[in-house]
Amino acid sequence: MNEATSSAFEDSDSGEFPWGEFSDERDLGFLRDLMEEVNAGGLVAVMARDKERRPVLRVVDPEVAALAENVRCSAGRFYWSWGEEMAPAGEKGEAARLLRKVLRGSAAGS
């Protein structure tokens, strides 16, 4: 992770939440699975928290760290930062593809 990318994150990139327990371990596990999938595909993802201190997966393109997306997981579904459903949590490959499409442009997501 380069300096510009690392500055885009407030929390640890270890995959663990430094602020304590999360109420739904299943959804947290889905976020961790997506983190692995996204990192393997060339984007950078770390566990973070939103303004309400809920767990999110913060995803950036290391080439353009100014572009980022916070993915939430609730009731077994991934959601974009604006609240629209992205994909079922069991479809981490599809969620990662959509993230690449949004953060890298339509050609990369195909």
Side-chain angles (χ1 to χ4, degrees), residues 15-92:
E16 298 299 321
F17 289 107
W19 58 88
E21 295 294 319
F22 177 54
S23 61
D24 190 335
E25 288 298 321
R26 184 171 174 245
D27 287 336
L28 187 56
F30 286 134
L31 283 175
R32 287 185 176 125
D33 291 345
L34 181 58
M35 180 177 66
E36 291 176 13
E37 184 82 14
V38 166
N39 286 333
L43 297 176
V44 176
V46 297
M47 302 303 276
R49 57 187 163 186
D50 64 12
K51 291 178 182 176
E52 290 79 31
R53 302 185 59 80
R54 296 174 300 194
V56 295
L57 187 64
R58 181 113 168 119
V59 182
V60 299
D61 180 345
E63 301 295 318
V64 188
L67 297 177
E69 179 57 36
N70 289 335
V71 178
R72 289 191 323 261
C73 188
S74 180
R77 307 195 82 67
F78 293 123
Y79 291 90
W80 296 100
S81 58
W82 59 88
E84 182 179 334
E85 184 180 323
M86 177 189 297
E91 296 180 18
K92 65 181 180 180

Side-chain angles (χ1 to χ4, degrees), residues 94-109:
E94 175 63 6
R97 184 192 71 78
L98 291 169
L99 285 161
R100 282 190 304 274
K101 182 176 181 178
V102 166
L103 295 175
R104 290 200 165 154
S106 59

